[in-house]
Amino acid sequence: MQMMAWAEQQAIVGVIYGGIQRAGQELGVPFDALMEWIGYAQQIENQNRILNEKCVEVVNEYQEAGYGCMVLKGQGNAVMYPSPLLRMSGDIDIWSLSPDPPSPKRVGRLRNDIIQYVKNKHADSETRYYHVEYTDVDVPVEAHFMPGVMNNPVYNRRLQQWYEEKADSGWLMAELPEGAGRIPVPTWEFNVVFQLAHMMHHFFDEGIGLRQFVDYYYLLRQEQNIKIEKLKSLSCTLKYLGLMEFAGAVMFIEKEVLGLDEKYLIVEPDEKRGRTLLREIMEGGNFGRSGHLDQHSAAKKYFQKTWRNLRLAKEYPAEALCEPLFRTWHFFWRLTH
């Protein structure tokens, strides 16, 4: 059962099981092993049903409290899969949107409002720079006041401005399976940039696994005919936000590992950076939980992560050199918030 152990490490058990289903008896999976895959897949499906129901509840809760919101990643990504209930679920991420008109102070006001709103309901919630996280009836929820961040302050400022510009128009409604309801999710254009930035941040922070790349695979396949003008505009955005090099590495993974057709690629694959990224994926697993960084005390992990990221400075100087600074600043920011 080495395959299942690896699939669990990468959080893609449901995806592999879907392949086993399609292949049928040709794979020759032993009966006992097949039963184990089926049992695990049923657990994944049931967990997704619970999360879908809860996701609709959370969206309704924030809307009734006067906040607009959209669901980031998670159940919003699952609806793009051929079998939405087989994506291994995690937590519920929502981006809370302020009803106020855009302004330089809007995010700050929203952050204070959301933190206070959540703490009134969940006293044990934890606040981070871009979201507040809590558990609601055994379901982890992250309420974002910013979709995500970057380590480099210049690119982070640009990214936040880009999010603000897209906040009121970068979403649509998605239908959850089995009539669970409808949820607001980002548009394709918004998701392509947001999820790329999210993966890059995880690459330098906790680590990154194949599930995020499978998510991105199905996201890219949503756009059947990418026009040249859209690709040029997207390329300019990625360069402006400092995401172009990482995008090339991701495209290498999507094409060479996951077999994505070239017509869906948004930039040219970068083999050198892609192989570095692939090595990190295979060593760390989902969110780096199987990697060597996760096996040490907090103090040792801090220095090992710093050393690891500095070794990536040649390929990603802007993010790698700023990551230890951002992490240190964020530590003290959390102490005061």
Side-chain angles (χ1 to χ4, degrees):
M1 295 304 291
Q2 289 182 334
M3 173 63 78
M4 178 175 284
W6 176 79
E8 188 173 13
Q9 175 188 339
Q10 298 291 341
I12 54 171
V13 172
V15 173
I16 301 296
Y17 173 70
I20 292 174
Q21 277 187 311
R22 289 190 293 274
Q25 296 180 349
E26 294 178 14
L27 284 181
V29 179
F31 179 79
D32 290 346
L34 182 60
M35 291 299 100
E36 193 166 346
W37 280 99
I38 292 173
Y40 205 139
Q42 288 176 342
Q43 291 178 31
I44 294 169
E45 290 177 339
N46 289 335
Q47 182 62 25
N48 271 306
R49 291 186 179 100
I50 293 170
L51 240 67
N52 285 339
E53 183 178 326
K54 190 65 182 177
C55 198
V56 174
E57 286 181 15
V58 171
V59 167
N60 290 339
E61 175 196 339
Y62 278 82
Q63 289 179 341
E64 288 171 5
Y67 301 104
C69 64
M70 70 172 76
V71 177
L72 303 172
K73 307 178 278 115
Q75 303 313 101
N77 278 342
V79 298
M80 305 177 199
Y81 280 56
S83 302
L85 294 178
L86 284 178
R87 178 188 182 273
M88 288 185 72
S89 58
D91 53 16
I92 295 174
D93 290 77
I94 64 162
W95 179 23
S96 303
L97 306 174
S98 172
D100 298 339
S103 73
K105 295 183 179 180
R106 180 163 81 156
V107 173
R109 288 198 302 269
L110 177 63
R111 178 193 289 117
N112 295 336
D113 287 350
I114 294 296
I115 290 173
Q116 192 59 51
Y117 174 77
V118 171
K119 285 193 176 297
N120 286 341
K121 288 175 167 281
H122 307 276
D124 58 346
S125 61
E126 289 192 23
T127 303
R128 298 181 183 273
Y129 175 55
Y130 54 99
H131 70 243
V132 55
E133 54 191 53
Y134 59 97
T135 301
D136 188 354
V137 195
D138 296 329
V139 176
V141 179
E142 292 183 359
H144 290 248
F145 12 89
M146 292 179 278
V149 295
M150 295 181 71
N151 296 315
N152 182 280
V154 174
Y155 289 130
N156 185 50
R157 191 179 306 112
R158 292 179 182 180
L159 183 66
Q160 302 313 320
Q161 290 173 347
W162 188 86
Y163 286 148
E164 277 291 290
E165 291 170 4
K166 304 294 181 182
D168 299 316
S169 61
W171 61 279
L172 46 83
M173 299 299 293
E175 193 77 39
L176 293 173
E178 299 182 343
R182 302 174 77 220
I183 56 173
V185 297
T187 61
W188 183 86
E189 291 87 349
F190 187 100
N191 247 337
V192 165
V193 175
F194 158 65
Q195 293 199 35
L196 193 65
H198 176 74
M199 285 192 288
M200 186 171 181
H201 187 72
H202 269 292
F203 177 53
F204 287 101
D205 185 18
E206 297 170 295
I208 192 168
L210 266 181
R211 182 182 64 179
Q212 291 167 294
F213 292 87
V214 175
D215 284 352
Y216 210 63
Y217 171 92
Y218 285 117
L219 169 63
L220 293 177
R221 284 172 57 91
Q222 295 297 301
E223 193 74 3
Q224 296 295 325
N225 297 296
I226 308 178
K227 294 182 171 56
I228 298 297
E229 295 76 13
K230 182 178 284 189
L231 279 178
K232 286 182 178 178
S233 174
L234 183 57
S235 179
C236 289
T237 299
L238 296 179
K239 288 177 182 176
Y240 179 71
L241 298 177
L243 294 169
M244 182 59 83
E245 289 79 10
F246 188 71
V250 172
M251 290 306 101
F252 175 82
I253 302 294
E254 299 295 343
K255 179 185 176 186
E256 301 299 332
V257 178
L258 299 180
L260 184 66
D261 193 298
E262 287 190 6
K263 68 180 181 180
Y264 297 112
L265 301 180
I266 55 174
V267 301
E268 283 294 317
D270 185 329
E271 181 175 355
K272 183 180 178 182
R273 289 186 174 90
R275 292 197 179 280
T276 300
L277 182 57
L278 180 59
R279 183 172 62 249
E280 293 291 327
I281 293 169
M282 300 307 291
E283 288 180 359
N286 194 45
F287 295 130
R289 290 175 184 143
S290 302
H292 64 281
L293 288 175
D294 219 41
Q295 313 301 319
H296 301 291
S297 65
K300 191 170 183 179
K301 183 177 178 180
Y302 178 90
F303 289 107
Q304 290 216 342
K305 185 186 288 188
T306 300
W307 173 243
R308 166 196 174 268
N309 286 336
L310 289 178
R311 285 190 288 111
L312 295 170
K314 188 175 181 180
E315 295 181 4
Y316 306 99
E319 283 295 287
L321 294 175
C322 290
E323 193 281 332
L325 301 176
F326 176 82
R327 184 156 31 102
T328 303
W329 172 86
H330 190 215
F331 172 79
F332 289 105
W333 185 92
R334 290 183 66 190
L335 289 180
T336 59
H337 290 77

